[in-house]
Amino acid sequence: MSFSDNLKTICKEKNLSQEELAELLGVSRQAVSKWESGDGYPEVEKLLMIAGKLNVSLDNLMGTEIVITDANKNNAPGQDSPKYALFAQDQNEHSFWGATSTFLGWYMTEESVMKEMEEIRQALFCGSDMYELKYSVKNRKTFLSVKAV
């Protein structure tokens, strides 16, 4: 199945209309309609937000196969799929769509993301111009998925 088919299926399973999903994500209903019809795709940051808000893994959202669960079950990401991503935003560099975002790393827990962000803040506060990520997971990427190794 394609991203658009998966999104429609997941929203139907969770009884979410296009309007409700749009409100949940802070986008227009027309944007959701484009995604569901296959006429457009969300940015990477929005894909991560969609997966998080719908409580599905990126594999289920983007993959070719989707597992249907009953409405009362949580469709949580797989144990080997990182759940969080960290991005940096450069306010001084802008593209047509706004400030430029840079992907930093994948994280298994919210706690590890928070630790990383605090250490980055401390490094910036101390005037460091370089920081090596400490809590991100090593991962294996394929075209449509990311797995922790």
Side-chain angles (χ1 to χ4, degrees):
M1 291 174 79
S2 67
F3 165 74
S4 60
D5 293 331
N6 290 345
L7 183 61
K8 284 187 281 192
T9 302
I10 293 165
C11 286
K12 183 177 180 180
E13 179 183 272
K14 296 185 181 285
N15 296 317
L16 274 177
S17 67
Q18 287 182 347
E19 292 84 10
E20 291 167 327
L21 180 60
E23 186 176 320
L24 190 65
L25 300 172
V27 299
S28 68
R29 186 204 54 78
Q30 290 83 358
V32 174
S33 176
K34 273 185 171 180
W35 302 339
E36 286 189 351
S37 67
D39 291 335
Y41 294 93
E43 303 166 336
V44 172
E45 291 91 349
K46 284 288 185 225
L47 283 172
L48 293 168
M49 185 184 289
I50 292 166
K53 296 284 186 182
L54 297 179
N55 198 24
V56 297
S57 70
L58 285 173
D59 288 344
N60 279 352
L61 189 58
M62 299 297 296
T64 56
E65 204 173 296
I66 187 167
V67 177
I68 305 297
T69 61
D70 70 37
N72 296 325
K73 282 188 180 176
N74 285 339
N75 193 10
Q79 289 181 333
D80 62 344
S81 295
K83 187 173 179 183
Y84 300 92
L86 184 61
F87 290 84
Q89 196 170 51
D90 187 344
Q91 296 298 327
N92 297 323
E93 228 180 278
H94 291 276
S95 69
F96 177 74
W97 294 277
T100 303
S101 292
T102 302
F103 172 77
L104 297 177
W106 289 106
Y107 298 84
M108 295 300 282
T109 65
E110 186 175 359
E111 180 183 344
S112 61
V113 174
M114 299 307 280
K115 281 183 185 177
E116 194 83 82
M117 288 172 39
E118 183 55 35
E119 291 202 20
I120 291 169
R121 273 191 220 99
Q122 288 177 6
L124 289 171
F125 182 75
C126 293
S128 177
D129 60 352
M130 194 165 141
Y131 176 83
E132 187 172 334
L133 299 176
K134 296 176 185 169
Y135 303 101
S136 65
V137 295
K138 298 206 182 307
N139 58 70
R140 178 177 32 115
K141 297 175 193 164
T142 62
F143 180 65
L144 294 174
S145 69
V146 176
K147 300 281 184 194
V149 284

